[in-house]
Amino acid sequence: MQEVNQAKLSKFVDKDKFTYALNTLDTEKLFSTSKELNEEINILESNTDLVNIRESIEIFKSPFDLESKSQIIKSTDLLRSVAQVKFADEIRYKILINNIFVGWTSSKDVNIRLPEIVSIENVDYFCYVKRNKRRILWKDLPTIEEARVVGKIWDYRYLIVKVTKEAYLSTDQVYVHIQIDSKDLGWIEKSVLNPINSNLMLRKMKNHLSNRNRLRTLNNRTLETVYEEGFARIIALPSNDPWKSALTKDYEKEDINIINGKILKYTMKIQKSERLVLSSLGSK
């Protein structure tokens, strides 16, 4: 490309005046195109307005950077988050200022401005669930801080769902309430659904047949996912404990009993269903 530019501009600029610069448009930062990256660090898509707590906010180049630079926020600036990830005791937001990506900021500098419900309409149509690993299925509309999460819509990919309600929010987002076999699943952004415009009965029969094993476990589906944090004192762990491999290098992995009696911070993911509660526990 450098040689092409030199040839076109040689009439106007001396050859020794040309230099080479890297492309500064980083599409990876703008659009998080790397699925592997997003899965490893658990970045979640978001589409929420933010409001700054103070006149200036700290901007980080990446979600886990410790160094930052301050940026003054004008009263007319519009702040928006397009992704978020938990980092230590804060949330890092991938932030757009006036629709221009500037970096990542901290929940210590901004608050989420929750959308308001403009209207809710009763509807009746069917759709396919698209293949999406990051969009969230909500038990409640995400218009209140206490809104509960079911889980990822990924668990219902390719299935046909019935849409019973459409909720229009002040952010111009449209959420829909979905069902499968008259069982309420929750609320999801309409953009993750593909409408069915023809041959509904045939498509439903084929979809039910090809996904019969997944549909058979529908009664035992996750109804709500809760994340908890706290501190626990380790009394004793068996020598064959499966979490041995999760210990950090600060501990001798050959002797897991070294942590007995210590107080560790833990995080717990609890998935509630109609019949049981599944939990996964890890230490920090």
Side-chain angles (χ1 to χ4, degrees):
M1 182 60 70
Q2 183 181 7
E3 288 77 15
V4 172
N5 289 335
Q6 286 179 348
K8 289 183 177 180
L9 300 175
S10 57
K11 296 180 181 180
F12 311 100
V13 182
D14 294 336
K15 190 174 183 179
D16 59 351
K17 298 295 183 181
F18 281 91
T19 187
Y20 176 77
L22 290 173
N23 187 353
T24 56
L25 182 60
D26 191 339
T27 56
E28 180 66 27
K29 289 183 180 179
L30 284 173
F31 303 111
S32 292
T33 54
S34 171
K35 293 182 180 179
E36 182 179 354
L37 175 65
N38 287 332
E39 290 173 6
E40 286 181 359
I41 60 179
N42 199 27
I43 291 180
L44 298 176
E45 286 185 355
S46 65
N47 186 17
T48 55
D49 292 328
L50 302 174
V51 56
N52 52 303
I53 300 173
R54 49 186 66 88
E55 289 186 358
S56 64
I57 64 175
E58 297 301 309
I59 300 295
F60 303 86
K61 288 185 178 180
S62 74
F64 302 111
D65 277 355
L66 297 178
E67 295 183 1
S68 62
K69 63 178 182 180
S70 296
Q71 180 160 337
I72 301 295
I73 303 299
K74 302 175 184 178
S75 59
T76 56
D77 286 339
L78 299 177
L79 311 184
R80 191 164 193 78
S81 167
V82 294
Q84 66 183 61
V85 63
K86 188 167 185 180
F87 175 63
D89 60 344
E90 60 187 278
I91 304 293
R92 292 284 175 90
Y93 296 105
K94 190 174 187 178
I95 187 173
L96 276 63
I97 299 180
N98 300 323
N99 295 319
I100 299 175
F101 170 71
V102 295
W104 294 76
T105 193
S106 168
S107 56
K108 295 180 179 179
D109 289 335
V110 295
N111 286 329
I112 291 178
R113 179 180 290 160
L114 294 170
E116 297 179 355
I117 300 174
V118 176
S119 65
I120 297 180
E121 299 178 3
N122 292 323
V123 294
D124 185 1
Y125 59 89
F126 290 85
C127 294
Y128 285 105
V129 177
K130 295 180 183 178
R131 187 176 183 272
N132 191 297
K133 290 188 176 182
R134 292 178 291 173
R135 292 296 174 90
I136 297 173
L137 177 64
W138 295 85
K139 195 175 184 71
D140 311 299
L141 279 170
T143 55
I144 55 174
E145 292 185 8
E146 299 79 14
R148 296 167 294 174
V149 171
V150 175
K152 298 290 184 66
I153 194 61
W154 172 258
D155 295 335
Y156 299 94
R157 62 194 180 280
Y158 309 131
L159 295 181
I160 290 179
V161 296
K162 181 180 181 180
V163 180
T164 60
K165 296 179 181 179
E166 291 183 345
Y168 296 84
L169 307 186
S170 57
T171 53
D172 295 329
Q173 293 171 282
V174 180
Y175 276 78
V176 295
H177 189 268
I178 57 176
Q179 293 179 342
I180 294 181
D181 295 339
S182 300
K183 295 179 175 65
D184 292 331
L185 300 184
W187 295 89
I188 188 68
E189 285 189 73
K190 188 176 181 179
S191 59
V192 301
L193 301 178
N194 272 333
I196 298 174
N197 299 318
S198 62
N199 301 320
L200 175 60
M201 293 304 297
L202 181 61
R203 292 174 186 270
K204 288 176 67 176
M205 290 174 59
K206 184 178 178 181
N207 190 260
H208 196 281
L209 182 63
S210 59
N211 294 284
R212 57 189 180 278
N213 292 331
R214 293 168 62 195
L215 292 171
R216 194 177 295 125
T217 60
L218 193 63
N219 286 335
N220 205 32
R221 70 192 183 280
T222 299
L223 299 180
E224 183 181 355
T225 300
V226 179
Y227 293 88
E228 295 182 359
E229 289 188 354
F231 293 88
R233 184 187 298 276
I234 305 301
I235 299 176
L237 290 176
S239 59
N240 61 345
D241 189 273
W243 295 102
K244 179 177 179 180
S245 60
L247 290 175
T248 65
K249 61 183 179 180
D250 297 330
Y251 298 102
E252 293 292 335
K253 293 188 177 182
E254 291 76 14
D255 183 12
I256 195 171
N257 293 321
I258 197 172
I259 67 171
N260 288 349
K262 291 185 178 293
I263 296 177
L264 298 179
K265 184 178 180 180
Y266 71 86
T267 59
M268 182 179 290
K269 176 182 178 182
I270 304 172
Q271 293 178 294
K272 301 179 181 179
S273 70
E274 291 181 349
R275 297 181 183 177
L276 73 160
V277 174
L278 304 175
S279 65
S280 59
L281 176 64
S283 62
K284 282 188 176 181

